[in-house]
Amino acid sequence: MPDTRVPAYPMKRACPFDPPPELGRIRAEDSVTRVRLWDGSHPWLITGYDDQRAVLRDRRFSADVRRPGYPHVTAASRARRRRSRSFISMDEPEHGKYRRMLTSTFMIKRVEALRPRIQKIVDELIDTMLAGTPPADLVSAFALPVPSLVICELLGVPYADHDLFQRCSRTMVSTRSTAEEAVAAGDELKEYLVRLLDRKADEPADDLLSRLVVEQAETMTRSQLADMAVLLLVAGHETTANMIALGTLTLLQHPDQLAELREGDPELIKSAVEELLRYLNIVHSGRRRVATEDVEVGGRLIKAGEGVIVATDAGNRDESAFPDPDVLDLHRDARHHVAFGYGIHQCLGQPLARVELQVVYGTLYRRVPTLRLAVPLEEVRFKHDMLVYGVHELPVSW
Ligand code: HEM
């Protein structure tokens, strides 16, 4: 029976730039506590930074979405993630086997080599935007195409098909989608990628999907490869796109810090990326796990089979880890944030996301110093109904 005295989760943001205020209150009282989900279950919610890292590095917590007790975000994500499993929902040793196939591609050194190409993509998109008449929607003109073009080139997915994969990913990450819609979107994207992988097997090119389809011909089925490709395509662009758009909106609210950033000090640009990741928490639905054994966390006993939600948005605003956590300070050393998760599932694409954001934050405001919001802030529509937080559109002028 759902216990209505237990707070419902997720809570809604009151301010678009801050986590829901209830999360801070809960953390101050008790870092390990129960919440109530859409299906009436009562998983544990972990809000304190230290307890979060303890859970995420503990192998006794499983990411396997098929296990009973796993705290699903919605009925739709339960249906979709059970149907197509990729390594984000696997435990060791299976998880490591698949993740290792990709680690060389996402190594810092390899990703740094892409920086000039990413710079060119960013510059060209800015040229095109500036050639038009303001206002423009920063999301469709810039924030979405940057990561989309980058991940397409890396994987070897034709960007001309971006309508299809952007539409499918949006349905997959929307909390308003029905189970049927989410499954259909996942299937459509997977079928598209299976066809693409078939073509690459016949005519391999110099890209990640070609390499995988050739190297893993004996070890992975086409369907498993397509599940991996779906993960890379979806994880790689909604997230970065929202960091670009919401990051820009945040900086426009902090003109002094934006002016400093515009001066182009590479060290400040790097720390700005980390601080905005910490501050904005765009992946705001919590890292979800289920205990496989009884485990004590923060003085509480979490029993085998119980679900756990690690609210990294609360952890990134925990003052024991970040002094004055609710203040945006681009000079802060925020590198130990948990915006990319922590432990074995920590974001594989983080070196790529970092370079993309460094290039964007280091270029856009310098090249368009008069960039401003073209509508009142109250008219901006925020993504409260998406697994990845951000803005739907961002009308800007210059
Ligand atoms: C700012 C942008 C990004 C953010 C905030 C972000 C955030 C995250 C988070 C929080 C996780 C952990 C999931 C968990 O613990 O359950 C994760 C995992 C992952 N991310 Fe990212 N991500 C970003 C960009 C990217 C990019 C560009 C890629 C590249 C294609 C990518 C690929 C992945 C993959 C493959 C995983 C699964 C890792 C595993 O399970 O071992 N992400 N990401």
Side-chain angles (χ1 to χ4, degrees):
M1 270 290 283
D3 183 346
T4 48
R5 288 166 306 175
V6 174
Y9 184 88
M11 294 105 183
K12 211 175 161 194
R13 293 189 184 209
C15 161
F17 307 105
D18 294 324
E22 292 93 321
L23 280 184
R25 283 201 283 277
I26 290 176
R27 189 191 52 230
E29 274 173 28
D30 200 344
S31 152
V32 182
T33 180
R34 294 271 193 182
V35 282
R36 178 165 40 93
L37 290 195
W38 59 278
D39 59 356
S41 62
H42 299 108
W44 294 94
L45 183 75
I46 318 288
T47 44
Y49 177 84
D50 287 337
D51 290 334
Q52 297 195 338
R53 300 221 301 185
V55 167
L56 291 176
R57 68 170 168 254
D58 192 324
R59 302 280 172 95
R60 292 171 295 175
F61 290 102
S62 164
D64 189 342
V65 292
R66 298 168 309 179
R67 283 183 184 266
Y70 183 94
H72 291 276
V73 183
T74 56
S77 77
R78 176 177 61 191
R80 184 178 62 74
R81 293 188 70 185
R82 280 191 176 162
R83 185 175 174 93
S84 287
R85 255 173 95 245
S86 53
F87 62 92
I88 197 166
S89 319
M90 293 176 189
D91 299 328
E92 300 305 351
E94 210 186 1
H95 163 266
K97 184 178 111 187
Y98 292 113
R99 182 166 166 134
R100 276 193 296 278
M101 293 174 186
L102 299 168
T103 40
S104 66
T105 302
F106 291 97
M107 266 166 27
I108 296 178
K109 227 172 95 188
R110 291 281 284 277
V111 169
E112 276 299 334
L114 297 176
R115 193 182 278 268
R117 178 66 194 129
I118 296 172
Q119 182 71 55
K120 191 157 185 285
I121 288 174
V122 166
D123 278 323
E124 285 173 1
L125 287 166
I126 296 175
D127 290 342
T128 308
M129 191 175 84
L130 294 181
T133 318
D137 170 25
L138 193 79
V139 174
S140 53
F142 184 72
L144 205 48
V146 171
S148 228
L149 280 160
V150 172
I151 198 72
C152 280
E153 269 191 35
L154 194 78
L155 294 182
V157 172
Y159 183 70
D161 297 331
H162 68 275
D163 278 347
L164 180 143
F165 53 75
Q166 286 175 0
R167 174 174 48 78
C168 291
S169 347
R170 245 195 319 274
T171 310
M172 288 161 73
V173 299
S174 168
T175 53
R176 282 174 199 253
S177 305
T178 62
E180 291 73 30
E181 287 164 349
V183 166
D187 284 355
E188 186 182 349
L189 186 54
K190 183 169 172 180
E191 279 157 26
Y192 164 79
L193 287 163
V194 166
R195 287 195 300 276
L196 184 66
L197 286 161
D198 286 341
R199 293 207 299 275
K200 289 192 183 287
D202 293 339
E203 273 180 64
D206 182 17
D207 57 54
L208 178 59
L209 294 188
S210 296
R211 174 170 76 72
L212 288 172
V213 89
V214 172
E215 280 178 10
Q216 306 303 333
E218 306 294 315
T219 50
M220 277 175 89
T221 64
R222 205 50 53 84
S223 166
Q224 286 173 319
L225 272 173
D227 284 337
M228 193 186 252
V230 169
L231 170 65
L232 293 172
L233 201 54
V234 175
H237 76 255
E238 271 290 325
T239 45
T240 317
N242 284 299
M243 274 307 296
I244 295 174
L246 194 63
T248 299
L249 183 58
T250 309
L251 290 165
L252 290 172
Q253 313 302 309
H254 294 83
D256 295 350
Q257 299 198 56
L258 177 56
E260 227 189 315
L261 194 60
R262 212 177 271 130
E263 287 168 19
D265 170 7
E267 288 310 311
L268 183 66
I269 293 167
K270 278 190 195 159
S271 75
V273 168
E274 304 309 318
E275 174 65 348
L276 283 161
L277 283 161
R278 178 197 77 83
Y279 186 77
L280 292 174
N281 293 297
I282 54 146
V283 183
H284 65 145
S285 44
R287 318 286 14 108
R288 308 216 171 195
R289 303 290 188 265
V290 53
T292 58
E293 293 174 30
D294 291 359
V295 188
E296 203 183 290
V297 181
R300 294 295 174 104
L301 183 67
I302 298 180
K303 294 218 177 93
E306 290 183 336
V308 175
I309 300 175
V310 177
T312 45
D313 44 355
N316 277 335
R317 296 292 188 100
D318 183 340
E319 64 181 357
S320 72
F322 306 97
D324 289 329
D326 298 326
V327 172
L328 177 81
D329 174 5
L330 302 187
H331 288 280
R332 179 199 298 273
D333 181 0
R335 281 173 299 182
H336 53 298
H337 64 70
V338 279
F340 286 127
Y342 188 69
I344 61 164
H345 291 283
Q346 195 178 44
C347 181
L348 173 74
Q350 57 183 294
L352 181 62
R354 286 197 160 103
V355 172
E356 289 180 51
L357 293 173
Q358 288 164 8
V359 172
V360 165
Y361 295 162
T363 309
L364 179 64
Y365 321 121
R366 184 176 45 77
R367 285 203 52 200
V368 197
T370 54
L371 189 78
R372 62 183 186 280
L373 198 54
V375 295
L377 183 59
E378 301 73 56
E379 284 179 26
V380 176
R381 286 192 307 120
F382 293 92
K383 290 182 169 173
H384 290 290
D385 52 349
M386 303 292 246
L387 298 181
V388 182
Y389 191 77
V391 289
H392 287 285
E393 283 167 6
L394 194 64
V396 291
S397 215
W398 51 88

